């Protein structure tokens, strides 16, 4: 048998092995307790609250992430400026350390600082409130989307933008009508990752927003609280809901990506 075929078989076998392990881990959630019990837990008032809160905060956070990540990713790719490497390092820091550290940093920033006092003057409280969930999700997901869009613009030839400028378009018009459409695949990928990170954000949400029952109880926090209480039925059901929602989100976005 040719060596190339042996390498292909070895790599495919490894890929399938890891895929089966992950699939087994995910599907095991559905067999720990009876499906009827899972449905009963999902239909409960607490779970419906957590699901609705997770979905609307994640959607809003994802929208905000993309609105910020698009210009920041473009800036990192197209412009050279003093301190660029330092800026890039700071942007990537939330990826490198645990979410708990990010949540602690955000709590200190918005908890008792001049910035927090300024926000309080306008009636904005970003600690232990529903708004805190969005802030925590936003800063958790933003670095990932920035990296994706940065890489996307690196692979787009800037000549198209120069041609647009030579035809009389302003920099803003070029960005909207040329740069963004050419980066559509990267934008979809950034949306997928941002939504997945938002709906799965736990440590940063727990520290900044707290784990208040039926107030800041998003799905990951619900899972944590129910494990703490020893309520494994609700904990497993929370995991099932997160797996299903994440799978559907990625499936829909991937299908949209193909159709584009």
């Amino acid at each position: 048998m040719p060596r190339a075929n042996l390498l292909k078989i070895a790599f495919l076998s490894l890929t399938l092995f890891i895929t089966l392990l992950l699939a087994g881990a995910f599907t095991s959630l559905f067999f720990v307790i009876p499906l009827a019990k899972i449905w009963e837990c999902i239909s409960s008032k607490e779970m419906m609250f957590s699901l609705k809160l997770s979905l609307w905060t994640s959607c809003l956070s994802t929208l905000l992430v993309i609105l910020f990540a698009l210009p920041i990713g473009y800036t990192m790719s197209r412009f050279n400026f003093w301190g660029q490497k330092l800026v890039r390092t700071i942007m990537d820091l939330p990826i490198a350390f645990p979410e708990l550290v990010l949540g602690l940093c955000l709590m200190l920033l918005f908890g008792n600082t001049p910035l927090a006092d300024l926000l309080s003057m306008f009636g904005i409280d970003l600690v232990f409130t529903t708004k805190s969930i969005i802030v925590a999700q936003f800063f958790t997901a933003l670095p990932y989307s920035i990296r994706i869009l940065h890489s996307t613009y690196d692979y787009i030839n800037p000549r198209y933008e120069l041609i647009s400028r030579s035809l009389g378009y302003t920099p803003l018009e070029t960005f909207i009508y040329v740069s963004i459409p050419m980066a559509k695949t990267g934008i979809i990928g950034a949306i997928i990752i941002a939504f997945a990170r938002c709906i799965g954000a736990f440590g940063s949400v727990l520290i900044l927003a707290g784990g208040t029952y039926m107030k800041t109880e998003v799905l990951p926090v619900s899972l944590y609280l129910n494990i703490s209480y020893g309520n494994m039925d609700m904990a497993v059901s929370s995991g099932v809901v997160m797996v299903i929602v994440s799978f559907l989100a990625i499936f829909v976005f991937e299908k949209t990506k193909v159709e584009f």
Side-chain angles (χ1 to χ4, degrees), residues 222-248:
S222 176
L223 190 153
Y224 167 76
L225 290 177
N226 282 288
I227 287 179
S228 301
Y229 302 151
N231 190 348
M232 290 304 298
D233 290 347
M234 285 292 290
V236 170
S237 300
S238 298
V240 168
V241 172
M242 281 191 286
V243 168
I244 293 175
V245 170
S246 299
F247 176 82
L248 290 176

Side-chain angles (χ1 to χ4, degrees), residues 55-88:
L55 286 176
W56 82 259
T57 55
S58 296
C59 288
L60 180 55
S61 299
T62 300
L63 176 60
L64 293 174
V65 165
I66 297 303
L67 289 176
F68 279 82
L70 269 172
I72 294 174
Y74 186 84
T75 298
M76 294 295 187
S77 175
R78 289 291 188 262
F79 306 138
N80 293 317
F81 54 91
W82 183 88
Q84 185 173 9
K85 291 184 178 179
L86 177 61
V87 171
R88 186 181 304 172

Side-chain angles (χ1 to χ4, degrees), residues 160-175:
Y160 297 105
E161 296 163 354
L162 295 175
I163 293 173
S164 173
R165 293 297 310 281
S166 68
L167 293 175
Y169 283 90
T170 65
L172 180 59
E173 289 173 333
T174 298
F175 178 70

Side-chain angles (χ1 to χ4, degrees), residues 116-126 129 131:
D117 295 336
L118 178 63
L119 292 173
S120 297
M121 292 174 59
F122 295 95
I124 302 174
D125 188 2
L126 298 181
T129 63
K131 302 184 192 72

Side-chain angles (χ1 to χ4, degrees), residues 5-115:
N5 289 341
L6 287 173
L7 182 68
K8 179 180 179 180
I9 292 173
F11 282 11
L12 280 174
S13 299
L14 178 63
T15 302
L16 290 174
F17 174 69
I18 297 300
T19 302
L20 287 173
L21 283 180
L22 287 172
F26 297 146
T27 54
S28 64
L29 283 169
F30 295 85
F31 299 102
V32 175
I33 58 177
L35 290 178
K37 188 63 177 179
I38 292 177
W39 178 250
E40 180 184 338
C41 293
I42 292 176
S43 304
S44 66
K45 184 178 180 181
E46 178 185 354
M47 190 65 67
M48 293 306 298
F49 174 87
S50 297
L51 177 59
K52 291 177 182 178
L53 182 63
S54 293
L55 286 176
W56 82 259
T57 55
S58 296
C59 288
L60 180 55
S61 299
T62 300
L63 176 60
L64 293 174
V65 165
I66 297 303
L67 289 176
F68 279 82
L70 269 172
I72 294 174
Y74 186 84
T75 298
M76 294 295 187
S77 175
R78 289 291 188 262
F79 306 138
N80 293 317
F81 54 91
W82 183 88
Q84 185 173 9
K85 291 184 178 179
L86 177 61
V87 171
R88 186 181 304 172
T89 301
I90 294 174
M91 290 286 186
D92 289 342
L93 271 179
I95 299 176
F97 52 58
E99 281 187 36
L100 289 172
V101 178
L102 175 62
L104 177 61
C105 294
L106 292 173
M107 185 180 68
L108 295 175
L109 175 64
F110 295 115
N112 188 21
T113 61
L115 176 60

